[in-house]
Each structure stands twice: as C-alpha cells, then as structure tokens.
Amino acid sequence: MKVIELSYDHLPHHLKPCFLYLASFPKDTAIISSTLKDFWRAEGLVEQAEMKSVEEVMKVYLDNLISSSLIILFNEIGDDPTCQLHDLVHDFCLTKAREEKLFDLISSNDFPDLLPRQITIDDEEHFGLNNFVLFDSNKKRHSGKHLYSLWINGDKLDDTVSDTFHIRHLRLLRVLYLHPSFIMVNDSLLNEICMLNRLRLLRIATKVKYLPLSFSNLWNLETLLLDNEGSTLVLLPRIWDLVKLRVLSVSACSFFDLYADESILIAEDTKLEKLRMLGQLMLSYSKDTEDIFKRLPNLQHLGFDLKESWDYSTEQFWFPKLDSLTELEGLTVGFERSNTNDSGSSAAINRPWDFHFPSSLKRLWLNEFPLTSDSLSIIARLPNLEELTLYRTIIHGEEWSMGEEDTFENLKCLKLNQVTLSKWEVGEESFPTLEKLKLSGCRDLEEIPSSFGDIYSLKIIKLVRTPQLEDSALKIKEYAEDMRGGDELQVVGWKNIPLLK
C-alpha cells in the first residue's frame, strides 16, 4: 500500500479524483476507456483547457494514468481498449475516496449523516421499508441535498415499497444510474427524473414508447443510456431538445413510429451537432431517414437493425445512404429478414447491396447480412477501414473470390463468426496490412488460404470452434517463420491459448 500511496502522492492534483473514480466500478471490472471518459465528463472531473478540447484533455489524463502504472491497459487488436485496477489499487482508491469525501460504496440501510458527492448503493439484499431515508421526499431534512451522483445496483425493488422511492428533491444530481436489475422506471418516476435539470448522464430502464414532454427539461443531458427491452422507443420529436447530447444508447429505438402513417415535420435548421454515438436504431425503408442522418453531422458511431425493405426506385433491397455522415468511424448493422416474404429473402442473398458508406469508416460489423462477392468488393474499397466483422453472414454460393481489385488497404483485423463460407480465394495483395485474423464457428471452411503466410504484418490467427482449420493455420505459421526468420506469428485458440502441432 505504501508504494501505491507514493505513486498517488506524485500524481498532479487534477489527476487524483480521476484516478480514485475508477474504484466506483466493481473489482475485476474491465472498463471500456470511452465509457470511463463519458463518466469523467458527466461528473465534472475534466474540463476544457486552453487550446485543448475536453476530449483531448481526457486522452492526456488517461495516458498519464496508464504511464504511471496505476492503471492496467488492455488494448488487444480488434477489441475496444479497456482499463482496470489491480485489486490492491482498487482497495486503496476506495479508502482514499472515502477520506476525501469524493464517493462511497454503501448499503441501503447504512446511510451516513453527511454523504459524499457520489454514492454507489450495491446490495445483495432487497431494499426494505426502513431503508429509504434518502428517497423519502416527505423528510424535512435530507442528507442527500448536496448529492451529485447516485448509482444503485441493488436487487429488484420490492413492489410494496416502489411508491416510496422518490428522487425529485435531489436537485443537484448530475449522474443518475439506476440499474435495470433494481427498478423499471414508471411514468411517475420518469416525470420526477425530468425535474433534475442538472443531469448530465442518465441510465434507466423503462417501457415507455415516447419520451414525455417534460424530457425537454434535461437540456444539460450528455449521455442517455436506456434499457427498454420489449418495446421500441420513438425518438422524435423530443430528442431534438437535448442539444448537448453526445451519447444515445437505447436497446431499441426509431426516429418515427414504425406503425404510424403520419410524418413529423422538422424545422430546416434542426440538428444535434454534439451527438457522437447513436444506437440501437430500428430502420425500415424511409426517405426521411437519410434526411435525419444529415442532421447528425458529427456522428462517429452508429448502430442499427435493418428490416428487409424493397426500394422500387433502385430495384434493390434498401440500405440507407450514409454518405452524409462524414465523421462516422464505427458502424454496426444487423439485418432482419421479412417473415412474410421467403422468396424475397432468397433474392436478397443473390443481389449485391447498394451500399453507400462514408469513406471515413474505420470499423464495420455486419450481423446476419446476406452478401455476394460484389458486395464484399464494395466494402474492400473503403480506404480507411481497419476492422471488419462478419457475424452469421450468408455469402452467396458459400464462395468468396477476391480478385486483384479487392484490396483491403488498411484492414488490421478481420473477424468471421459463423459465416457460411466453404471456398475462400485470397489474392497476394488482398490484406497487405492485416494484423489479426479471427475465425469462429466457420464449420464449412476446410482450410485457411495459404497466401495469409505472405502477409508480413500478420501477428495473430485465432481459431474458436473451428478445429478443422488448425492444420492449415499451423502450416501458415511454419511458412511465415521460414520466410521471416522469427516467431512473430501466433496461432491461438479460446482464451488465447497457443495451438501446437
């Protein structure tokens, strides 16, 4: 502990609360770096500096903490960078945070008289009738009136006490995180939440179909994480009022009511210029969809499920034009076949998609998409694509023939998971910069093309549930060692366990 304390004492003053904040997450938790930054921002731990944006400042902060060796960084090729505290460091941070009155991890029946600015309630036991001092709006004196951040990860709230749960008096809250396992937010509680106009980050579960009119009060909101399993949240028109919104993550949402005929009029200058992340949209054919995308000019990450829709103007299955999203770097798309048109589904497999991806795209994940070699050629032409994942993809004819023009110039990671592929022809220059190849559940593929051995940048071949590919992978490794004169190419299996002959 003395070594940890010494390292902590040497941290600049502005870095200390950012470091201690990591202990508000459970032990042994790998935290996605971008998620950590969202919480730092919402808590007000990072501010814009002269000549640097908040995003640039947060990157510097995180880099400095990693270089101090107080934080463990995991940055495997093809995965989101994550960071984590060693258990001893986590214990130190929690103790120090309590001393500094920064935050505390408490039980539901153990509220101190003076609360820190942030509390996390993490109980194994159900909340009882006597454990709601903080949430009883009838109390004249509230220990939580200066509370900035509230996280509750407890078991499901008993229905007999749910009506006593009130938060409208916690007016200074900037972060409210109510885990879905704890409570399903009803209309009454949602209206109370809408009174908390200082909120920057909100995480809740609810079954509402439309955001209430009072949601417009949350004009400071930057991150909205909403779990609405079993329903689709209609975003418009209320979402336009959240002008500071940067992250919008919903289990299932749509711009319009998918089952209504009326269209919503949108003012010409309406935009969400700060929005960086949006998902998970439910899309079907609509010309208005592309107009809305133009109103999200700085979107960097997008996820949507595409319902099978025929576009009579192009005589093709519809795919939204995303060219206007010139800042888009990450795209995740799932394809949902029509249950009423079996012949159309088979036609979709045989037809190339009219893809219109922005050239800025770096990461692409396609889920259950029917693809042809021509469709894959369109993807190959994306100049900045670094990661491609095909999940449960049906490739027409189970054959992917890559010609000389099919060159993934900057692709570093290729993942094929349960892809219907039996024959794969790869050219000498198909993947000139590839570093990682991961094949999972590709049961029809008999061997990995030997030309992968000529890719000098290739570092890892990972095989999961594909035992028939082990021999060809090990032959590629042996060939690469002979050509390079080293042991740089790894062939690994589940949990990165090395595969041997």
Side-chain angles (χ1 to χ4, degrees):
M1 281 291 187
K2 288 185 178 179
V3 175
I4 299 172
E5 186 159 13
L6 187 63
S7 298
Y8 172 78
D9 289 340
H10 279 84
L11 287 177
H13 179 73
H14 59 269
L15 274 185
K16 289 180 178 179
C18 293
F19 169 56
L20 296 181
Y21 187 80
L22 274 84
S24 62
F25 295 89
K27 280 186 178 181
D28 300 319
T29 298
I31 311 157
I32 298 176
S33 299
S34 59
T35 300
L36 176 63
K37 292 175 184 177
D38 289 337
F39 281 104
W40 275 355
R41 184 187 189 105
E43 298 280 5
L45 300 178
V46 182
E47 295 180 356
Q48 184 172 342
E50 188 176 355
M51 305 298 291
K52 281 190 175 74
S53 66
V54 174
E55 290 76 19
E56 291 170 328
V57 172
M58 288 191 293
K59 184 181 185 305
V60 172
Y61 280 19
L62 188 56
D63 289 345
N64 288 343
L65 287 173
I66 292 167
S67 63
S68 72
S69 300
L70 288 167
I71 292 180
I72 306 168
L73 176 68
F74 300 95
N75 194 13
E76 186 176 339
I77 301 169
D79 294 333
D80 289 326
T82 61
C83 50
Q84 187 173 335
L85 294 178
H86 187 279
D87 284 356
L88 287 176
V89 179
H90 191 283
D91 291 340
F92 170 84
C93 286
L94 189 54
T95 301
K96 184 63 71 172
R98 284 169 172 159
E99 292 175 1
E100 300 290 337
K101 298 290 189 292
L102 179 64
F103 70 84
D104 201 355
L105 178 65
I106 63 177
S107 65
S108 61
N109 57 359
D110 187 28
F111 284 106
D113 291 333
L114 180 62
L115 289 173
R117 54 177 284 163
Q118 175 200 339
I119 61 171
T120 298
I121 304 172
D122 195 358
D123 266 346
E124 294 299 326
E125 301 295 328
H126 287 282
F127 278 69
L129 286 166
N130 299 321
N131 299 338
F132 275 78
V133 176
L134 179 61
F135 309 113
D136 188 348
S137 61
N138 294 321
K139 294 288 182 181
K140 292 182 178 179
R141 179 179 175 271
H142 285 287
S143 59
K145 63 181 180 180
H146 298 301
L147 193 62
Y148 276 30
S149 178
L150 174 63
W151 295 46
I152 304 181
N153 300 309
D155 290 342
K156 188 178 185 304
L157 184 62
D158 195 307
D159 291 338
T160 60
V161 295
S162 60
D163 290 339
T164 69
F165 186 85
H166 297 285
I167 57 174
R168 58 178 177 265
H169 52 283
L170 304 177
R171 294 301 180 93
L172 296 183
L173 275 184
R174 296 167 64 141
V175 173
L176 178 60
Y177 190 103
L178 303 179
H179 197 277
S181 66
F182 169 66
I183 189 171
M184 180 65 66
V185 173
N186 58 25
D187 291 348
S188 175
L189 183 55
L190 184 57
N191 282 326
E192 286 196 27
I193 290 172
C194 292
M195 297 178 187
L196 308 177
N197 60 14
R198 294 176 183 263
L199 278 180
R200 294 188 181 185
L201 186 148
L202 176 62
R203 166 76 162 105
I204 57 171
T206 182
K207 292 183 178 179
V208 299
K209 184 174 181 179
Y210 298 92
L211 294 175
L213 181 64
S214 55
F215 217 84
S216 301
N217 296 332
L218 303 181
W219 57 274
N220 278 309
L221 199 63
E222 296 178 348
T223 300
L224 175 58
L225 312 173
L226 198 149
D227 189 311
N228 63 325
E229 293 292 343
S231 64
T232 300
L233 179 72
V234 179
L235 298 176
L236 301 184
R238 203 61 55 225
I239 205 68
W240 298 124
D241 298 326
L242 306 181
V243 294
K244 295 185 180 181
L245 199 62
R246 300 176 56 83
V247 176
L248 175 57
S249 177
V250 185
S251 301
C253 60
S254 62
F255 291 130
F256 313 101
D257 188 339
L258 298 177
Y259 303 102
D261 295 330
E262 322 80 60
S263 59
I264 297 175
L265 296 176
I266 305 171
E268 187 174 346
D269 59 348
T270 300
K271 291 182 180 180
L272 285 179
E273 298 194 79
K274 294 184 180 294
L275 193 66
R276 299 294 189 270
M277 181 181 295
L278 171 60
Q280 185 72 15
L281 281 170
M282 305 290 117
L283 295 183
S284 60
Y285 178 73
S286 171
K287 294 180 180 178
D288 294 329
T289 298
E290 291 161 11
D291 175 60
I292 293 173
F293 281 141
K294 292 176 182 178
R295 299 169 187 271
L296 312 175
N298 295 305
L299 197 65
Q300 295 175 351
H301 304 279
L302 172 64
F304 62 84
D305 288 337
L306 183 67
K307 292 181 180 293
E308 184 178 318
S309 305
W310 184 259
D311 184 352
Y312 289 95
S313 64
T314 62
E315 293 296 310
Q316 288 182 309
F317 283 90
W318 178 75
F319 192 92
K321 291 180 173 59
L322 305 175
D323 312 63
S324 61
L325 300 175
T326 57
E327 300 296 316
L328 194 69
E329 296 183 357
L331 177 63
T332 300
V333 188
F335 180 67
E336 184 178 325
R337 287 181 177 78
S338 170
N339 293 325
T340 59
N341 186 3
D342 293 335
S343 60
S345 295
S346 62
I349 298 172
N350 301 331
R351 291 176 176 271
W353 287 87
D354 187 24
F355 287 135
H356 288 266
F357 297 122
S359 60
S360 57
L361 203 61
K362 293 182 179 180
R363 294 175 294 280
L364 176 61
W365 177 303
L366 295 178
N367 182 5
E368 299 198 18
F369 254 80
L371 296 174
T372 64
S373 288
D374 289 342
S375 299
L376 289 162
S377 296
I378 295 174
I379 296 172
R381 290 195 285 272
L382 291 170
N384 295 299
L385 192 66
E386 296 179 359
E387 299 174 18
L388 173 62
T389 299
L390 302 180
Y391 179 74
R392 300 184 66 178
T393 295
I394 300 173
I395 297 180
H396 177 54
E398 299 188 8
E399 181 176 343
W400 187 4
S401 299
M402 304 184 67
E404 293 182 3
E405 71 282 359
D406 297 331
T407 300
F408 289 83
E409 292 183 3
N410 289 297
L411 196 71
K412 293 179 172 56
C413 180
L414 175 63
K415 298 180 182 180
L416 305 182
N417 192 330
Q418 302 177 58
V419 172
T420 59
L421 177 64
S422 58
K423 186 178 181 181
W424 192 7
E425 296 180 0
V426 176
E428 292 183 3
E429 295 297 322
S430 297
F431 301 102
T433 61
L434 193 68
E435 297 180 13
K436 181 177 181 178
L437 173 65
K438 181 178 179 180
L439 304 173
S440 304
C442 297
R443 303 182 185 279
D444 298 326
L445 189 63
E446 295 182 1
E447 64 177 9
I448 303 172
S450 59
S451 53
F452 278 97
D454 294 316
I455 303 175
Y456 274 71
S457 58
L458 190 61
K459 298 176 182 177
I460 300 173
I461 298 177
K462 184 169 184 175
L463 305 178
V464 180
R465 301 189 307 279
T466 51
Q468 80 282 5
L469 299 179
E470 292 182 9
D471 285 345
S472 58
L474 291 170
K475 286 179 182 178
I476 289 172
K477 174 179 171 61
E478 184 178 355
Y479 174 78
E481 288 175 354
D482 292 341
M483 293 295 292
R484 304 178 193 178
D487 189 21
E488 297 174 2
L489 177 58
Q490 302 177 55
V491 177
V492 300
W494 180 250
K495 294 185 177 180
N496 292 328
I497 298 173
L499 297 178
L500 304 172
K501 284 187 177 180

